[in-house]
Structure formats: structure tokens, C-alpha cells
Amino acid sequence: MAAEKAKYNITGPTIEDFYQVIKANKEGTDWYKELTQTGTISRHTLGFSGGGQGSRFYVGLSSQKQQGILPSQSATRYAFRVNTEFDILKNLRIGENLQVTYLSINGRNGGNNGLESSQLENDILGSIQISNNHSCS
């Protein structure tokens, strides 16, 4: 046990003996690489359009799932859209455009459901600061 414990002792000219539970990584750690992954987006859309004499319509449904570059961050969006148009008179047309959207954002800090994430406090900036400020030599 003493031999194993000795592997994790740090002794130096400016510090006393210090028992570190995790062995020091003298090469340093690329925290940005360790924290991030490749982000992905999946989009699907289904739409129908048509009409006849004096009327036109479009109905659409779409979904989007996004995995951020941080494993804890993701977003999901669903949208439903309806457009119709009717010719009432020769010079009069009436119609509507309606879209309903559901949006869910997970794993982001900041106000407005993560849309106002602080530029000074986030995981990526922290990983870069740790890598720059705590390099081992």
C-alpha cells in the first residue's frame, strides 16, 4: 500500500508532501477535446399542397432534433403550418398563414431558456481557460 501511495505523493521545493488521489497528468489534458463531441442535426419535413379553381392550400409538418457539441445540450423543434387562399371576387382574395411551433432546449444556461447564455460563463470557455491556466510542465 505504501508503494501505491508513493505514486500519488507530490513533493516540491515550494510545497510540503501532498497526497493526490489522482496521479498527475504531466502532459496536460485538452479539456475542450474531452468535453466536446461532434454535434448532429436531423430534420424531417412532410408537406402537402394543392387547390382548385379559386383556392390553394399548403399543409406542412416538420421536426428537427439537434445534439450539441456538449453531450448535455440538445434541442427539439416541431412545427405545423397551414396556408390557404381563396379568390372571393375577381379583385379580392382572402387567405391565412398559420404556424405553431414547439421548441425545447436542454442543457443551456442563461435566461430565455438558454437563448441568452452568458458569454463569460459557459462550459466551453471554462475548458479553454482551464487548459490555458493550468498547464503542467
Side-chain angles (χ1 to χ4, degrees), residues 74-77 102-106 113:
S74 64
T76 304
R77 178 179 172 263
Y102 168 79
L103 176 63
S104 173
I105 299 174
N106 299 313
N113 197 20

Side-chain angles (χ1 to χ4, degrees), residues 18 32 51 89 112-113:
F18 175 73
Y32 181 82
L89 300 171
N112 195 14
N113 197 20

